[in-house]
Amino acid sequence: MLRTISNVLRLIGKELHSIRADPVMLILVVYCFTVAIYMVSNDASTDVRHVAIAVVDEDQSQLSRRLADAIRPPEFQPPVPIAANEVEAALNAGRFIFVLHVPPRFEADLVAGHQPELLLEVDATAMAQAGNGATDVQRVVAAEIANHLSGGAGGVEGPVDLVVRAWFNPNLETVWFGAVMQVMNNITMLTLILAGAALIREREHGTVEHLLVMPVTPSQIVLSKILANGLVIVVAAALCLTVVVHWALGVPIAGSMPLFLTGTALYTVTVASMGILLATFSTSMGQFGLLVIPVMVILNLLSGGMTPLESMPDWLRLTMQLLGPSPHFVGFAQGVLYRGAGLATVWPDLLAFTAQGAVFFSLSLMRFRGVLLRI
C-alpha cells in the first residue's frame, strides 16, 4: 500500500512538472479562469441595454408623447420618431430592434372606453433582446396608460396585488449567473483537455515505454494523471471564484467554499476519466481534439446550466442525467454557490457524478491496459 501511494505521488510530481514545462497549456488555464471568465460574464450580457427603438406617432396626442417619453435609457436609446412608410426599410436595414406604432385617435378611443390596439414590431433576429425588450416595452406602456387614465394617481387598483420576490439574485443580475456558469463550463472543458492531452503527450513523445519498464501499474499511471490534472483545475477554480468572480465581478458566494471544492475535486476525477477514455481512442493530439469537441459541446450545452433540464425532451434529459456528469455538477454547484445549500441537500448530485466517475475510471483503465498491450 505504501509503495502504491509513493508511486502515485511520484507520478503526480512528474505530471505537474510536465504541465509546468508546457507554456501553452499554462497560458490556456490562466486565460480561461481569468480573462475569459471576466469578459464573458461582464460583457456578453443578454440584458436589455441601449436597444434602438423607433416610434410611429399617428395620434400626436398628449398620451402618445408620454409613451415616447417613458421609454428611456439605460434599457433603450431615446426613441426616434419615424413615419409609417419608413418602418419596413428601417427594420430591413437593422436600424431598430423595436418599432412602436401609435394609431390615430388612440387617446380619444381609450378615454371613450374603447379598446384601441398598439402595434410593436420586433426584429427577432436579436432573439434574447427581442424577447426581454418586448416585455419591458409592454410593462412601460401599460404603466404609463394606467397612470394616464387614473389622472396621475399612480394607476388603477386591480383585484390582485402581485408581489414578486427574487431569491438568490434579487437584482436579477446576469453577471451573477454568467460568472458561475462560465467557471463550471471551463472546469469541464479544461479537465477533459488536460487529462486526455497528458496521455496523448506520453504516446507522441514515446515515454509510455519508459513507464512500462518502471515498477508501476497501469492503474497508478491513470490515477496519477487524473489527480495531477484535477489538482491544477481545482486550484485554478478556487482562485478564480475568489479573485475574479467574488472580488472583481462582485458576485457573492452564498455557500461553503470547502464543500464546493470537494465536489469539484470529485467531479474532475469523473471528467478526467472521460478525457483519458477518449485519449485511448486517439493516436495524436489532432484526433483527440476532434473527439473532445463534440463531447465538450454536449456536456456544456445540455448540462442544464444554459437552459433548464425540464425544457428538454424526457428521453434526452434522462440520458444526460444517466450518462453525463455535468447536469449533476451544475445542480450541485448552483445549490452550494447560489443558494448556500449544505451537504444534506446536494448529496444526491454529489453521489451521482461520483458513481459515474467510478464507471468512467474503470472503462478508461480497461482501455489503457489494452493500449499498453499493443505497444
Side-chain angles (χ1 to χ4, degrees):
M1 185 65 181
L2 292 177
R3 178 177 291 275
T4 298
I5 296 175
S6 176
N7 289 343
V8 170
L9 290 177
R10 290 176 185 274
L11 289 171
I12 288 175
K14 181 187 79 69
E15 290 298 327
L16 293 176
H17 178 75
S18 298
I19 295 174
R20 187 183 63 180
D22 190 343
V24 175
M25 197 65 73
L26 284 177
I27 291 173
L28 176 64
V29 173
V30 172
Y31 169 79
C32 287
F33 281 108
T34 53
V35 178
I37 297 291
Y38 187 88
M39 292 181 64
V40 172
S41 305
N42 198 48
D43 300 329
S45 174
T46 58
D47 287 345
V48 178
R49 289 290 183 272
H50 307 293
V51 175
I53 183 170
V55 175
V56 179
D57 187 359
E58 297 181 312
D59 189 27
Q60 295 296 324
S61 63
Q62 180 185 2
L63 177 57
S64 66
R65 288 188 289 271
R66 288 181 59 176
L67 291 178
D69 292 339
I71 301 172
R72 58 175 68 96
E75 288 83 5
F76 302 94
Q77 297 178 14
V80 177
I82 62 172
N85 57 2
E86 300 174 350
V87 172
E88 184 175 354
L91 289 175
N92 288 340
R95 290 174 53 200
F96 306 106
I97 294 180
F98 300 102
V99 177
L100 179 65
H101 292 253
V102 182
R105 295 188 50 79
F106 174 73
E107 181 180 11
D109 290 343
L110 194 66
V111 173
H114 301 151
Q115 293 183 336
E117 293 182 350
L118 290 173
L119 173 63
L120 180 65
E121 295 194 59
V122 182
D123 178 3
T125 55
M127 186 178 64
Q129 290 184 328
N132 297 335
T135 302
D136 289 345
V137 173
Q138 183 179 6
R139 173 181 51 80
V140 169
V141 168
E144 198 61 35
I145 290 176
N147 190 49
H148 180 76
L149 291 177
S150 64
V156 180
E157 290 291 334
V160 177
D161 184 14
L162 178 64
V163 178
V164 179
R165 293 188 177 93
W167 284 28
F168 316 121
N169 188 358
N171 294 325
L172 304 180
E173 296 282 349
T174 58
V175 173
W176 289 22
F177 174 79
V180 175
M181 287 310 307
Q182 195 63 30
V183 171
M184 287 186 272
N185 289 340
N186 287 356
I187 288 173
T188 301
M189 176 185 70
L190 289 176
T191 304
L192 202 63
I193 292 174
L194 287 180
L199 180 57
I200 296 295
R201 187 167 51 240
E202 300 277 11
R203 300 183 67 177
E204 288 187 336
H205 294 174
T207 53
V208 176
E209 290 85 350
H210 299 171
L211 294 176
L212 292 178
V213 299
M214 295 174 63
V216 294
T217 64
S219 60
Q220 294 171 2
I221 297 173
V222 172
L223 186 60
S224 65
K225 294 184 181 301
I226 290 173
L227 294 180
N229 291 284
L231 177 62
V232 172
I233 297 301
V234 170
V235 171
L239 293 175
C240 176
L241 281 173
T242 302
V243 177
V244 179
V245 176
H246 187 53
W247 292 351
L249 293 173
V251 180
I253 305 299
S256 168
M257 183 66 77
L259 176 59
F260 173 74
L261 294 179
T262 301
T264 301
L266 294 173
Y267 178 70
T268 57
V269 171
T270 303
V271 179
S273 299
M274 294 180 64
I276 296 291
L277 181 61
L278 292 175
T280 59
F281 291 95
S282 312
T283 58
S284 67
M285 200 66 77
Q287 289 182 354
F288 175 67
L290 291 176
L291 282 176
V292 163
I293 290 173
V295 173
M296 192 165 54
V297 169
I298 291 174
L299 287 178
N300 284 343
L301 293 184
L302 300 182
S303 65
M306 300 184 67
T307 57
L309 287 173
E310 292 77 11
S311 65
M312 301 179 189
D314 291 339
W315 67 268
L316 181 58
R317 183 179 70 253
L318 294 175
T319 301
M320 285 301 301
Q321 291 176 331
L322 180 63
L323 301 179
S326 54
H328 301 291
F329 180 63
V330 167
F332 162 80
Q334 288 181 343
V336 174
L337 298 179
Y338 288 144
R339 297 185 285 273
L343 182 60
T345 302
V346 300
W347 72 264
D349 288 320
L350 195 64
L351 181 62
F353 62 70
T354 302
Q356 290 172 334
V359 173
F360 284 123
F361 179 80
S362 301
L363 292 175
S364 63
L365 181 58
M366 181 178 63
R367 284 286 308 172
F368 181 65
R369 284 172 175 160
V371 170
L372 294 179
L373 292 175
R374 294 193 295 270
I375 293 178

